[in-house]
Amino acid sequence: MDKKGVTIYFVRHGETYFNYYGRMQGWSNTPLTDHGKEDVRRCGRGLKDVQFDAVYTSDLSRTQETASLILQENGQLEEMNMVQMPEFREVFFGSMEGMYGADAYDKVRDYLGYDTSKEMFRNTDVPERMNAFRAVDPDHYAEDFMMFWSRVEQGLLKLIDKHRDTGETILLVAHGGTIRYILQNLIPELPSSKSLLNASVSVARYQDGLYHLEKYNDVSHFTDK
């Protein structure tokens, strides 16, 4: 029986200016706000006793900035090589990148045939809405769900193939949608499908062929500033 396994700490990036202004942010790069940086530092202090063996981010600046701040607070910045993987990007919203979220979702709502956004969110799931974003994007550059997930899954398989059964502890700093669907894939009984909070921590441990959820969307480390 294998006892080594692997433990993966999934952290969503800190608040960015597009997050703050309620704008669509998939592949767009905007920096962390001062509030976002402080939340990430608090996250790093909450993880100060965790020794990471490897660190991965997407290739977008907000995840790299978040990982650097975490490692500063964690005391591992100088010794740790951060590996950027474009597979772990957020979904791409095409021509709706940077648009106010309310305006973008109005287009999706119209396409899906709902009178109100509340009705749309109650009766559709994220994959349906992703597919609608691609449909309403004039040039169809926006990713649909299968385009998004097949890309993320490739990155996940690379990560698992490299680290499974090593006994290592991995930090992966990525995006809300990316982390949520990775965890739904690894842990079918995921307790919540709510959007992940900025700088939240979710932890999954692989042991004896199964993934076990240890934390999800945790911000308890924010209680002490």
Side-chain angles (χ1 to χ4, degrees), residues 154-169:
Q154 287 175 14
L156 177 62
L157 291 172
K158 286 181 188 176
L159 212 65
I160 290 173
D161 285 347
K162 181 171 184 179
H163 295 285
R164 183 171 51 201
D165 304 336
T166 59
E168 292 177 332
T169 299

Side-chain angles (χ1 to χ4, degrees), residues 53-224:
D53 298 292
V55 178
Y56 295 90
T57 70
S58 79
D59 63 341
L60 297 173
S61 61
R62 59 190 181 272
T63 60
Q64 297 173 50
E65 190 178 359
T66 297
S68 293
L69 291 171
I70 288 172
L71 292 174
Q72 274 181 29
E73 295 295 335
N74 174 274
Q76 288 189 262
L77 184 62
E78 298 303 319
E79 64 193 66
M80 194 58 63
N81 178 39
M82 294 188 298
V83 179
Q84 285 81 50
M85 293 181 66
E87 294 96 329
F88 292 130
R89 286 184 179 192
E90 184 60 281
V91 66
F92 182 47
F93 294 109
S95 63
M96 285 157 285
E97 290 276 334
M99 186 181 288
Y100 281 111
D103 295 337
Y105 277 104
D106 273 347
K107 291 177 179 286
V108 169
R109 175 185 57 75
D110 285 342
Y111 175 80
L112 292 174
Y114 290 98
D115 293 328
T116 66
S117 293
K118 186 176 180 180
E119 186 184 4
M120 175 188 70
F121 281 109
R122 189 170 61 240
N123 291 289
T124 62
D125 57 17
V126 173
E128 287 178 83
R129 297 193 291 273
M130 274 191 200
N131 295 344
F133 269 106
R134 182 169 174 80
V136 301
D137 183 21
D139 295 317
H140 304 299
Y141 284 141
E143 289 182 303
D144 63 24
F145 180 72
M146 283 311 300
M147 295 170 70
F148 163 74
W149 175 244
S150 62
R151 163 173 63 78
V152 173
E153 189 176 40
Q154 287 175 14
L156 177 62
L157 291 172
K158 286 181 188 176
L159 212 65
I160 290 173
D161 285 347
K162 181 171 184 179
H163 295 285
R164 183 171 51 201
D165 304 336
T166 59
E168 292 177 332
T169 299
I170 310 304
L171 173 63
L172 172 58
V173 181
H175 308 268
T178 305
I179 293 170
R180 183 167 23 159
Y181 278 97
I182 287 175
L183 288 172
Q184 284 187 358
N185 181 264
L186 297 181
I187 299 159
E189 68 279 9
L190 198 68
S192 171
S193 61
K194 289 182 181 177
S195 296
L196 292 169
L197 299 168
N198 288 114
S200 63
V201 177
S202 301
V203 182
R205 174 160 179 74
Y206 174 82
Q207 192 78 50
D208 300 327
L210 292 173
Y211 282 89
H212 307 277
L213 189 68
E214 296 186 353
K215 288 183 182 180
Y216 183 72
N217 205 17
D218 181 39
V219 291
S220 61
H221 45 285
F222 286 8
T223 53
D224 298 315

